[in-house]
Amino acid sequence: MKMTTMFSDQPYSAVAIGLCFGVLLLLPWLHLLPPDSAFYLSAYWVTLIGKIMCLALVALALDLVWGYAGILSLGHGLYFALGGYAFGMYLMRQSAGDGLPDFMRFLSWTELPWYWTGTEHILWAIALVILVPGIVAFIFGFFAFRSKIKGVYFSIITQAMVFAAALLFFRNETGFGGNNGFTGFKTLLGFDITSAPMRATLCFVTALVLMLCFIGLRQLMNRPYGRVLGAIRDSENRLQYLGYRTLWYKLSAWVLSAVIAGIAGALYVPQVGIINPSEMNPVNSIEMAVWVAAGGRGTLIGPILGAGLINAAKTYFTVAAPEAWLLILGALFIVVTLFLPKGVIGLFDRFKKERN
């Protein structure tokens, strides 16, 4: 079985995608221009662009397991939040200095919990960003896939998992700030986290990570590994009959997807300045699936486009007509399901066929 992306036979697409990523890499530095410059980007726009790119990275991660392996997760918000909390612990230690974080002092704690050990070091924080979502995903995925849970049952379990995690993190005694979570970040690597150079750097790093993840996953999906995932999606039983141990293919894709989502969460937190259990709201995970479906699952570039368009629309409508946003989102999902089964990317394919 040959697994191809929507753009695999269009040489000009690589140039177009490269130009788009080039623009994303350039935009953050416009924040460093004089405010009276015609090309100056305010802190609001730099933060918004960085936030949307983080969400696009989550959509890219979800597309790996849903678009290619056919595994619909409605709980990827958990891995996103875990990555955010892991890096948020480092930011809280930076703000607290030699003392305890503010929320611990408020609760009259006298010492840090054992799992906060080493979080004052950024290298350990980065390791936690990768290890925590990866280990949680491995444990959950191993037992779920070994039990051969599939389809809607698997999706429901992932949603239940993220809801249970949200309830856990809401509790003050867990040591993660309870309902308020982590906020009040001041410095990153000793630099003011709200300064223009740091905002531009964080946004640039997010664009760079998004580009590298896209290139890496595209290369991976064009290799035999990607073709096996596609075969699992189309007919896992037949693939098992041929001797493939599909458990490990699905598990590896699941863990890789969780790690990418965790990295997205870690990049998200210093840019928006907060992480709390609301990021584990099951509705957020459902929205992630909408981004992938709207953009075009199984294409990698489609989910990035879908996340960008929908979150840009959300930013506008939640200000202009906040009570109407959920209705608009629901209507969008219906339109995509009925008329755009291949998402926005499918429109390009349809346009090409009409021209030919």
Side-chain angles (χ1 to χ4, degrees), residues 106-345:
F106 177 78
L107 295 173
S108 300
W109 290 24
T110 58
E111 59 182 6
L112 288 168
W114 63 268
Y115 44 85
W116 279 72
T117 303
T119 52
E120 72 274 16
H121 304 295
I122 190 169
L123 292 180
W124 178 238
I126 293 173
L128 288 177
V129 168
I130 296 172
L131 292 175
V132 173
I135 292 173
V136 172
F138 180 87
I139 295 173
F140 171 82
F142 177 79
F143 289 104
F145 296 140
R146 192 183 66 168
S147 301
K148 299 183 179 179
I149 301 174
K150 301 178 182 179
V152 66
Y153 301 104
F154 182 87
S155 300
I156 291 173
I157 290 177
T158 58
Q159 193 171 38
M161 177 181 65
V162 72
F163 182 70
L167 294 178
L168 177 65
F169 276 72
F170 266 117
R171 301 175 65 89
N172 286 325
E173 58 267 29
T174 57
F176 294 106
N179 183 53
N180 296 322
F182 297 159
T183 189
F185 309 133
K186 298 177 182 177
T187 61
L188 173 59
L189 293 175
F191 298 97
D192 181 3
I193 202 168
T194 61
S195 66
M198 181 56 69
R199 287 185 184 275
T201 300
L202 287 170
C203 190
F204 172 79
V205 171
T206 304
L208 182 63
V209 171
L210 179 61
M211 181 184 69
L212 293 177
C213 286
F214 170 78
I215 293 173
L217 288 180
R218 188 168 186 177
Q219 293 295 322
L220 186 62
M221 293 304 103
N222 285 329
R223 294 181 179 276
Y225 178 83
R227 300 188 184 100
V228 172
L229 290 183
I232 291 174
R233 177 195 60 200
D234 296 335
S235 181
E236 183 178 358
N237 291 335
R238 182 178 298 179
L239 201 62
Q240 290 175 332
Y241 178 77
L242 293 175
Y244 284 87
R245 301 185 65 181
T246 58
L247 165 65
W248 298 108
Y249 282 95
K250 293 194 295 183
L251 186 58
S252 60
W254 182 258
V255 172
L256 177 59
S257 177
V259 168
I260 294 175
I263 293 173
L267 292 169
Y268 178 88
V269 169
Q271 295 184 81
V272 301
I274 188 172
I275 179 70
N276 58 40
S278 65
E279 296 298 338
M280 299 182 191
N281 190 323
V283 174
N284 292 356
S285 296
I286 294 174
E287 283 192 17
M288 294 172 187
V290 175
W291 305 337
V292 176
R297 64 190 185 100
T299 62
L300 295 181
I301 193 63
I304 295 177
L305 181 61
L309 292 175
I310 293 178
N311 282 285
K314 181 179 181 179
T315 301
Y316 173 78
F317 283 108
T318 49
V319 175
E323 69 283 350
W325 168 244
L326 289 180
L327 296 176
I328 295 171
L329 183 64
L332 175 64
F333 187 72
I334 293 173
V335 169
V336 169
T337 302
L338 295 179
F339 304 106
L340 296 173
K342 294 183 180 179
V344 175
I345 292 298

Side-chain angles (χ1 to χ4, degrees), residues 8-75:
S8 58
D9 59 344
Q10 300 179 11
Y12 59 83
S13 68
V15 176
I17 294 172
L19 288 174
C20 290
F21 277 117
V23 171
L24 290 177
L25 291 169
L26 175 64
L27 283 177
W29 305 115
L30 299 182
H31 183 48
L32 301 182
L33 295 176
D36 57 349
S37 172
F39 298 102
Y40 172 75
L41 277 183
S42 67
Y44 169 80
W45 284 107
V46 172
T47 301
L48 178 61
I49 292 170
K51 172 184 173 181
I52 291 178
M53 286 193 294
C54 290
L55 301 178
L57 188 57
V58 181
L60 183 66
L62 182 56
D63 191 39
L64 171 61
V65 292
W66 187 27
Y68 285 89
I71 304 169
L72 174 57
S73 168
L74 296 180

Side-chain angles (χ1 to χ4, degrees), residues 81-95:
L82 288 176
Y85 268 101
F87 199 70
M89 294 165 74
Y90 165 76
L91 295 175
M92 291 298 289
R93 294 293 300 276
Q94 286 274 293
S95 300

